[in-house]
Amino acid sequence: MSLFNHTLTELHDLLHKKEISIPDLVGESYKRIGEVEEKVKAFITLNEENARKQAEALQAKVGTDESKGLLFGMPIGIKDNIVTKGLRTTSGSQILNNFDPIYDATVMNKLQDAQAITIGKLNMDEFAMGSSTENSSYQKTANPWDLSRVPGGSSGGSAAAVAAGEVPFSLGSDTGGSIRQPAAFCGVVGLKPTYGRVSRFGLIAFASSLDQIGPLTRNVEDNARLLEAISGVDPMDATSANVPVDTYSDALTGDIKGLKIAVPKEYLGEGVAADVRQSVMDALKVLEGLGATWEEVSLPHSQYGLATYYLLSSSEASSNLARFDGIRYGYRTENAESLIDLYKNTRAEGFGDEVKRRIMLGTFALSSGYYDAYYKKAQQVRTLIKKDFEDVFEKYDVIIGPTTPTPAFKIGENIADPLTMYANDILTIPVNLAGVPGISVPCGFSGGMPLGLQIIGKHFDEKTVYRTAYAYEQATNFHQQKPSL
């Protein structure tokens, strides 16, 4: 793991001092995968042959103008719902078990422009539906801190691979907490950007009005650098925002004097474990010591976030997943005597239980006679949740609370109880409904398992989120602790 104990800037400097080579970096990644992958199971598909070839080709450019970018030659893992040209992309589902895309997602084009090297595709809950990576149809990923526990989800593979030192950073996607919750469970840094900050073109859709791609890293600085590389308006995605991309790393000064923090009482109430609550109070003391002030506030409609989210996301999923019919690409049943049989059997055999559950819930919520009572009402409540955030941000710079109500739970503990599983995202979901940015940074341990502090910012104000997260990180050492695999 020696090479991955460094920040992105440090690795870049070592590369240019010729103390390491790009083949060394990529080789170290695959060596570590060879050592721990059997236990962690973070990857679905590896890209070893291509990655090693690319490393050799890029090594010849070290020292030229082309090698100046910080991501030049750096190994990265990619969540398996981000399409990669010629590299199998399954979205954790059997229905895409033979899908080799013929184009790249926009974020992949941006990483290629930066000349980063894709190590492989990371495990996830099927179609990003889940909070534990137990809904993957390929394997269950384990938490590197305790192999009997879940890494969180749906970006569980992305968080586990970074925590285990298999890659220095990865990309995940966040629909209701799917970057921040696994980042908290695995003791790494994970950011969900403002909706529209990063192009969704080439992200296999779960819920289009909620999904965002974002970075998972070991530290805040690397996270900011990676977001700089993948952000920006995209003509291929009409929901991407034409807002200038800040140099987020400029905000990493450590200075938060005068910062005003809001702490929602709803985020520290019933259901949040005592250790988790205490870790947030301790973090607020650290931030106070750095010159920030905090006050308790209320986000009154947050209590409806869970119901609102599952109605809206399932409705969008029911529509988005209609395209998987066995006709154009992906899995096709062999047991069909008619076209209707082909549709039915392909979907029955290709989708897992959780995906079917959400398609049925979403189809019901959109159906005639129920649309007004469920889908329309959920959209109205979503507007109220967004308004709560806007009201708080009129007086405060950031909102702070825990990322998850508890530390990581045991594999198999909640899988038979969907409602308990859904409640794991109760603190992260409102951020997606409001479209604002949120980051999770390590803030302590409970029974040896990492805990996450969630810092939420105004629309397109990732800079303040990073400034706060970096100041906290520099004043503590939680991010330096590593699992002993």
Side-chain angles (χ1 to χ4, degrees):
M1 282 178 71
S2 55
L3 292 182
F4 295 143
N5 291 343
H6 300 284
T7 66
L8 188 50
T9 314
E10 288 166 353
L11 287 174
H12 181 77
D13 291 345
L14 290 170
L15 199 58
H16 283 267
K17 287 177 186 164
K18 307 269 172 76
E19 289 179 30
I20 57 168
S21 69
I22 298 171
D24 286 343
L25 270 174
V26 170
E28 189 71 24
S29 190
Y30 285 114
K31 176 172 170 256
R32 183 66 178 166
I33 288 168
E35 290 166 357
V36 302
E37 183 59 17
E38 198 59 38
K39 300 175 194 168
V40 177
K41 295 188 164 61
F43 284 89
I44 295 179
T45 307
L46 291 174
N47 186 38
E48 187 164 2
E49 190 182 336
N50 284 339
R52 288 188 186 275
K53 274 187 197 161
Q54 196 183 347
E56 294 291 347
L58 289 181
Q59 184 58 31
K61 298 178 181 177
V62 173
T64 68
D65 283 351
E66 276 192 65
S67 68
K68 284 181 179 168
L70 272 183
L71 288 174
F72 177 84
M74 296 296 155
I76 187 166
I78 305 295
K79 187 175 179 180
D80 206 26
N81 59 349
I82 297 169
V83 302
T84 43
K85 187 175 180 179
L87 183 61
R88 187 174 70 138
T89 301
T90 70
S91 208
S93 179
Q94 289 303 318
I95 212 159
L96 287 174
N97 64 12
N98 59 358
F99 178 51
D100 290 327
I102 56 172
Y103 68 97
D104 272 315
T106 295
V107 289
M108 296 311 300
N109 289 327
K110 285 178 176 283
L111 288 174
Q112 280 154 21
D113 290 345
Q115 306 200 66
I117 297 176
T118 301
I119 293 297
K121 303 301 289 291
L122 292 155
N123 196 28
M124 58 181 284
D125 285 299
E126 185 178 4
F127 287 104
M129 297 180 191
S131 307
S132 64
T133 316
E134 291 171 283
N135 292 332
S136 167
S137 70
Y138 294 92
Q139 59 200 22
K140 287 181 173 62
T141 298
N143 191 314
W145 290 88
D146 176 351
L147 298 170
S148 70
R149 292 180 186 266
V150 302
S154 62
S155 307
S158 299
V162 173
E166 295 178 299
V167 284
F169 32 80
S170 65
L171 290 187
S173 69
D174 193 310
T175 309
S178 289
I179 287 172
R180 290 158 291 149
Q181 186 247 24
F185 279 5
C186 292
V188 297
V189 177
L191 176 104
K192 181 209 89 79
T194 305
Y195 183 79
R197 176 75 292 176
V198 178
S199 171
R200 290 185 300 109
F201 179 74
L203 175 68
I204 296 172
F206 161 17
S208 310
S209 76
L210 299 160
D211 298 340
Q212 267 294 276
I213 295 170
L216 290 111
T217 58
R218 287 185 182 286
N219 58 67
V220 173
E221 183 191 338
D222 287 2
N223 207 281
R225 302 277 190 187
L226 192 48
L227 185 65
E228 286 170 10
I230 62 171
S231 292
V233 67
D234 177 17
M236 304 297 283
D237 174 12
T239 64
S240 69
N242 192 7
V243 175
V245 179
D246 283 324
T247 309
Y248 302 116
S249 46
D250 287 352
L252 310 182
T253 59
D255 178 15
I256 54 164
K257 285 187 185 67
L259 185 85
K260 292 180 184 165
I261 299 168
V263 181
K265 63 184 181 189
E266 292 82 2
Y267 284 22
L268 293 170
E270 192 185 343
V272 176
D275 283 1
V276 172
R277 197 178 296 119
Q278 189 56 50
S279 75
V280 173
M281 299 316 291
D282 293 345
L284 289 168
K285 277 188 197 141
V286 170
L287 293 165
E288 269 187 312
L290 295 169
T293 56
W294 69 273
E295 288 176 0
E296 190 177 84
V297 298
S298 179
L299 294 171
H301 296 98
S302 287
Q303 61 180 310
Y304 307 114
L306 208 58
T308 302
Y309 169 82
Y310 278 100
L311 280 167
L312 295 178
S313 65
S314 299
S315 298
E316 293 186 27
S318 125
S319 174
N320 278 325
L321 270 59
R323 70 193 67 169
F324 300 104
D325 54 13
I327 301 292
R328 289 157 289 191
Y329 52 82
Y331 172 78
R332 176 185 291 194
T333 184
E334 292 176 3
N335 316 310
E337 292 177 8
S338 68
L339 185 62
I340 297 300
D341 270 1
L342 177 70
Y343 292 153
K344 276 186 181 170
N345 296 345
T346 293
R347 290 167 72 80
E349 294 160 21
F351 288 141
D353 288 349
E354 182 60 30
V355 174
K356 291 174 186 169
R357 192 180 290 127
R358 298 202 199 189
I359 289 172
M360 286 193 288
L361 173 62
T363 306
F364 172 76
L366 291 173
S367 60
S368 174
Y370 296 100
Y371 176 90
D372 283 356
Y374 292 104
Y375 182 76
K376 186 179 174 186
K377 182 64 72 184
Q379 287 287 27
Q380 290 167 330
V381 176
R382 180 183 190 167
T383 302
L384 294 174
I385 290 170
K386 183 169 176 280
K387 178 79 167 58
D388 284 349
F389 278 97
E390 287 166 358
D391 290 347
V392 168
F393 282 134
E394 279 180 12
K395 294 184 189 167
Y396 300 92
D397 300 308
V398 291
I399 294 170
I400 283 182
T403 309
T404 59
T406 64
F409 47 89
K410 297 270 187 189
I411 292 171
E413 189 178 322
N414 295 334
I415 196 69
D417 183 356
L419 293 179
T420 300
M421 193 71 93
Y422 296 169
N424 275 291
D425 296 332
I426 198 159
L427 300 169
T428 51
I429 277 170
V431 173
N432 296 76
L433 291 170
V436 291
I439 198 170
S440 177
V441 290
C443 72
F445 291 87
S446 173
M449 296 305 292
L451 300 173
L453 182 74
Q454 182 172 211
I455 302 165
I456 302 163
K458 301 171 188 174
H459 286 104
F460 299 103
D461 191 17
E462 280 84 356
K463 235 176 171 175
T464 304
V465 172
Y466 278 131
R467 181 162 68 95
T468 311
Y470 183 77
Y472 174 73
E473 182 186 79
Q474 293 305 299
T476 56
N477 67 351
F478 301 120
H479 67 290
Q480 292 166 349
Q481 321 245 355
K482 299 193 171 56
S484 54
L485 261 174

